[in-house]
């Protein structure tokens, strides 16, 4: 059996056809009809007015944070359990990241701790430029609780929905919360452009300013005129063509990942000391795009997450730990953290299982067989 990857890109003949169409159009540049079409279709899918196709989700976060005044002397509050890109975008601006802990049930940010952090920082005279939420592993954070509480305090929200395209929260699409949101189209995401991202917002001025900054802040002059620093952040027309094709297949790919999770839960969920992140205690997969399926072992489990991941690797199956919390990373070891025990525990006991939409039911059965043996040995 060939190696089973965690989340390999699922590309079809449709994307090949659209890339060829883009190449033959002559628009081999970071603008063109495929970029315009991709932006319009993503905005419609998510339910926002404007979208800006960029070279990465990190670029989208950077531009969103700049819009909210993140910079030296300010603070951005964000969850510790996330990929480094979320926190690195804060460093790009010169602002100070302040981390908060996760919920135990789905690993998303703890709203109560987030508000505690905002209030304490404000009481200390710190300027909180915004809260940066993360929709972890394909599930939205609790925006019903977070958004009104931040609005009451006058704190803007930026949503990192890099992992959550296609997910919803009380009927609204992931990427539609806050004043701006970021999507990622990296190769391992629910859909890909091989690399790329998107900035989303209902604020046309925000998108206009970000579009200007993303093209090296070029002034409208007949020559190259620049009055401030910009960035080279645009997505190419060729890569946008892949995105157009992938977006048309998004629901099909979500359905495949959803079926994988159900297959895992049916087979492994009954094992003692095993639970699935985001399931149980009133939570289901109904609004989750099921990007990655994560299993959590009980603290008293006789086998560790390290053991299971190593055993899967020995069987040529790629599995990983949950995100290592940022406050445990050497780069952010001196950053302020509100609580921390939950994300540390989830990191120690969580396992991300192969979830790609191109995997077959037989592939998942093989992962289940190996995992089950490792847990029960």
């Amino acid at each position: 059996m060939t190696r089973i990857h965690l989340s390999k890109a699922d590309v079809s003949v449709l994307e090949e056809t659209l890339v060829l169409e883009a190449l033959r159009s002559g628009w081999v540049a970071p603008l063109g009809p495929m970029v315009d079409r991709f932006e319009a279709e993503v905005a419609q899918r998510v339910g926002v007015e404007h979208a800006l196709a960029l070279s990465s989700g990190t670029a989208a976060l950077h531009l969103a944070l700049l819009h909210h005044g993140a910079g030296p002397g300010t603070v951005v509050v964000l969850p510790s359990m996330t990929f480094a890109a979320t926190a690195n975008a804060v460093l790009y601006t010169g602002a100070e990241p302040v981390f908060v802990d996760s919920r135990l049930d789905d690993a998303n940010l703890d709203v109560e701790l987030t508000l505690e952090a905002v209030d304490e920082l404000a009481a200390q005279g710190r300027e909180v430029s915004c809260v940066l939420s993360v929709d972890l592993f394909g599930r939205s954070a609790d925006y019903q609780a977070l958004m009104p509480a931040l609005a009451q305090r006058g704190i803007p929200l930026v949503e990192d929905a890099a992992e959550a395209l296609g997910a919803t929260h009380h009927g609204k699409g992931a990427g539609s919360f806050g004043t701006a949101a970021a999507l990622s189209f990296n190769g391992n995401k629910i859909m890909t452009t091989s690399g790329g991202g998107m900035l989303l917002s209902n604020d046309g001025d925000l998108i206009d300013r970000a579009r200007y900054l993303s093209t090296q802040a070029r002034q409208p002059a007949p020559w190259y005129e620049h009055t401030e620093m910009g960035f080279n952040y645009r997505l190419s027309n060729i890569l946008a063509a892949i995105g157009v094709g992938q977006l048309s297949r998004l629901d099909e790919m979500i359905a495949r990942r959803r079926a994988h999770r159900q297959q895992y839960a049916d087979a492994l969920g009954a094992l003692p000391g095993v639970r699935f992140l985001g399931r149980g205690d009133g939570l289901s997969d109904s609004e989750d795009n099921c990007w990655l399926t994560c299993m959590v072992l009980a603290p008293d489990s006789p086998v560790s997450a390290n053991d299971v991941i190593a055993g899967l690797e020995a069987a040529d199956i790629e599995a990983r730990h949950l995100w290592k919390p940022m406050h445990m990373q050497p780069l952010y070891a001196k950053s302020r953290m509100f609580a921390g025990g939950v994300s540390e525990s989830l990191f120690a006991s969580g396992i991300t299982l192969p979830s790609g939409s191109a995997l077959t039911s037989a592939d998942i059965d093989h992962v289940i067989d190996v995992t089950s043996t490792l847990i029960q040995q």
Side-chain angles (χ1 to χ4, degrees):
M1 186 172 248
T2 56
R3 179 170 174 77
I4 293 179
H5 295 276
L6 188 73
S7 183
K8 193 175 178 181
D10 179 0
V11 181
S12 73
V13 173
L14 174 62
E15 288 87 327
E16 293 177 21
T17 304
L18 288 165
V19 167
L20 190 60
E21 179 184 328
L23 280 167
R24 288 175 175 170
S25 74
W27 288 97
V28 187
L31 75 167
M34 285 295 181
V35 172
D36 298 340
R37 180 178 166 185
F38 189 39
E39 291 176 344
E41 292 183 0
V42 169
Q44 183 178 28
R45 170 67 195 231
V46 171
V48 297
E49 294 180 23
H50 309 284
L52 175 63
L54 296 166
S55 57
S56 69
T58 317
L61 288 176
H62 184 199
L63 294 174
L65 292 172
L66 288 176
H67 173 83
H68 289 296
T74 73
V75 171
V76 175
V77 177
L78 70 159
S80 181
M81 175 157 274
T82 184
F83 180 54
T86 317
N88 288 345
V90 177
L91 290 191
Y92 292 174
T93 69
E96 176 189 344
V98 171
F99 298 109
V100 295
D101 208 352
S102 298
R103 295 163 43 136
L104 188 61
D105 53 5
D106 68 1
N108 267 312
L109 91 171
D110 184 317
V111 172
E112 205 169 303
L113 269 181
T114 303
L115 299 176
E116 181 185 322
V118 167
D119 290 344
E120 190 168 320
L121 289 163
Q124 293 168 356
R126 301 301 308 273
E127 182 185 347
V128 180
S129 57
C130 64
V131 165
L132 174 53
S133 64
V134 179
D135 301 331
L136 210 66
F137 301 121
R139 177 186 296 270
S140 293
D142 184 1
Y143 293 112
Q144 277 214 316
L146 182 62
M147 290 184 67
L150 291 180
Q152 191 178 28
R153 291 163 170 79
I155 302 293
L157 171 70
V158 172
E159 178 191 4
D160 182 349
E163 305 168 8
L165 177 60
T168 57
H169 181 67
H170 290 268
K172 289 187 64 179
S176 67
F177 301 98
T179 51
L183 299 175
S184 170
F185 307 121
N186 192 26
N188 66 352
K189 292 298 188 294
I190 193 107
M191 59 162 274
T192 185
T193 56
S194 78
M198 191 82 80
L199 178 65
L200 304 169
S201 181
N202 289 319
D203 184 341
D205 292 337
L206 184 157
I207 293 293
D208 287 345
R209 170 73 176 166
R211 191 180 300 276
Y212 160 74
L213 289 175
S214 70
T215 50
Q216 300 285 19
R218 183 184 173 189
Q219 292 288 328
W223 47 82
Y224 290 102
E225 182 84 5
H226 305 273
T227 58
E228 60 186 316
M229 184 179 72
F231 310 94
N232 183 15
Y233 276 172
R234 291 311 312 272
L235 186 74
S236 82
N237 196 55
I238 306 299
L239 298 188
I242 301 174
V244 168
Q246 289 268 290
L247 186 63
S248 73
R249 299 175 51 235
L250 178 61
D251 288 327
E252 165 202 328
M253 293 191 287
I254 289 175
R256 288 292 307 155
R257 290 182 188 253
R258 192 178 299 277
H260 295 339
R261 179 170 298 178
Q262 189 61 50
Q263 197 172 339
Y264 281 131
D266 289 344
L268 300 174
L271 295 178
V274 172
R275 73 176 176 96
F276 283 83
L277 207 61
R279 279 194 162 202
D281 298 327
L283 295 175
S284 72
D285 295 335
S286 62
E287 294 194 310
D288 191 321
N289 74 1
C290 296
W291 172 51
L292 293 178
T293 289
C294 304
M295 185 175 72
V296 181
L297 302 176
D300 59 353
S301 171
V303 62
S304 71
N306 272 336
D307 294 336
V308 174
I309 291 169
L312 288 167
E313 182 60 37
D316 216 9
I317 296 169
E318 183 185 15
R320 292 186 184 175
H321 292 274
L322 308 193
W323 300 127
K324 184 178 181 181
M326 289 300 105
H327 73 280
M328 297 175 70
Q329 301 282 358
L331 176 62
Y332 292 104
K334 295 181 179 176
S335 297
R336 191 165 179 186
M337 174 71 189
F338 282 75
V342 173
S343 57
E344 290 170 16
S345 167
L346 289 170
F347 169 63
S349 59
I351 301 162
T352 306
L353 296 168
S355 307
S357 51
L359 293 173
T360 65
S361 180
D363 292 329
I364 303 300
D365 273 338
H366 179 54
V367 178
I368 288 169
D369 287 344
V370 176
T371 306
S372 180
T373 301
L374 289 165
I375 289 175
Q376 297 182 91
Q377 66 186 356

